[in-house]
Amino acid sequence: MTSGRALLGVDLLIGIDDTDDLTSPGTGRRCRQLIAELEEAELGSAAGATRHQLLVDPRIPYTSHNSSACIAWRSLATDPAAVVPAVVEIAGRFLERVCPPAADPGLAVAVLPDLPEGSSRREQLVEFGRRAKREVLVTAGARTLAAETGVHLSGHGGTQDGVLGALAAVGLHLSGGDGLFLFMPGIREISGDMTAGSLLDLVSIDQVRDHQQQEPTAGELIELGDWVRPVLLGGQAVLLVEPPVVDPDGRRRWRTVPRSVVKNY
């Protein structure tokens, strides 16, 4: 699986989970705030951040949707492992400072060069993430797997149960085929109608297509609405659109798929 330009140069994955309660900002906002703090510390920049839906089951304590997040980070360091202690320190302090008492935040930090394609460690993490979408798992298993695969894993409040979702987010992002982008540079500033060419000039989306693999040409108009969220497919950021409508003059018009469709990823 080859990453597109959206994730080019990413060398760290930072997973967070269980950061909120019913009245506090959700994991998505906390994720964007953490990105700002890491960038302010000059530790690199975020290529994006993905939301991953985990199992919804009454045996699992969660706030609203049981989703976790993974930040795809470009450390720009010759040895990205050398940056991990600073990332852990800042992210850990951040979670301890902003998360409410009822939250059970967890943090995972993985070094991508240590998890090459086809390696058993990478495959174990991917499988753990997939299991978290269909099974009730335990934190002891997450901690054991993190130790075996060389991933930093730590809890930063409450029961620390968020370590499970944080590690699952890393594994699901590693799969290259799960999650929607809740953050990407410039993505929250675009809305309304825009040509496909202009859109791809403004944000690092890899592909715009419908479910039949049809793609708009550069000059064709896309109705973006007010909520643009690519999904992670094949290691790329893909903006899903509905099949085009053809105007009387023969021009095709496109529209992004509804939120309900995007959230299935």
Side-chain angles (χ1 to χ4, degrees):
M1 179 183 65
T2 303
S3 296
R5 63 171 184 155
L7 299 175
L8 188 65
V10 168
D11 52 18
L12 296 179
L13 294 180
I14 305 165
I16 60 172
D17 186 36
D18 212 333
T19 63
D20 57 357
D21 61 17
L22 288 173
T23 61
S24 68
T27 299
R29 186 181 302 180
R30 293 306 188 204
C31 190
R32 293 189 293 271
Q33 292 172 335
L34 175 55
I35 287 170
E37 294 206 8
L38 292 170
E39 290 182 344
E40 186 177 348
E42 299 183 345
L43 293 175
S45 63
T50 45
R51 172 193 183 273
H52 300 277
Q53 180 62 54
L54 307 180
L55 177 67
V56 175
D57 186 285
R59 293 170 292 175
I60 300 173
Y62 59 88
T63 304
S64 57
H65 303 294
N66 197 27
S67 63
S68 56
C70 183
I71 300 170
W73 192 255
R74 297 181 177 119
S75 74
L76 306 179
T78 304
D79 178 12
V83 180
V84 171
V87 169
V88 169
E89 180 181 1
I90 291 172
R93 286 204 314 261
F94 169 82
L95 294 173
E96 292 163 10
R97 184 179 77 246
V98 305
C99 293
D104 307 307
L107 170 69
V109 183
V111 180
L112 275 183
D114 292 343
L115 300 166
E117 290 280 354
S119 67
S120 61
R121 287 181 294 176
R122 187 184 186 110
E123 291 172 358
Q124 284 178 284
L125 290 166
V126 169
E127 179 56 24
F128 180 83
R130 289 172 174 163
R131 288 178 61 206
K133 296 177 76 71
R134 62 178 190 265
E135 299 176 28
V136 178
L137 304 178
V138 295
T139 56
R143 293 185 185 278
T144 298
L145 178 60
E148 292 174 348
T149 55
V151 175
H152 168 87
L153 191 63
S154 54
H156 295 275
T159 65
Q160 303 186 10
D161 282 353
V163 297
L164 198 159
L167 190 65
V170 167
L172 290 168
H173 188 101
L174 276 173
S175 77
D178 186 276
L180 64 88
F181 280 82
L182 55 85
F183 169 83
M184 177 182 285
I187 201 72
R188 297 175 69 83
E189 284 72 54
I190 59 175
S191 61
D193 297 348
M194 187 176 295
T195 64
S198 296
L199 172 66
L200 296 178
D201 284 341
L202 289 172
V203 292
S204 295
I205 292 172
D206 295 306
Q207 187 182 29
V208 180
R209 65 167 175 81
D210 66 13
H211 287 292
Q212 298 173 345
Q213 307 298 320
Q214 297 183 100
E215 300 181 37
T217 62
E220 290 181 334
L221 199 65
I222 305 173
E223 298 176 20
L224 297 170
D226 61 356
W227 195 80
V228 181
R229 296 293 183 272
V231 297
L232 183 60
L233 291 174
Q236 299 190 339
V238 178
L239 183 65
L240 295 175
V241 292
E242 296 179 336
V245 173
V246 181
D247 290 336
D249 60 6
R251 290 184 297 181
R252 299 188 303 178
R253 288 185 294 110
W254 304 75
R255 176 184 298 171
T256 53
V257 298
R259 295 188 188 204
S260 58
V261 174
V262 176
K263 287 183 176 180
N264 286 332
Y265 289 83

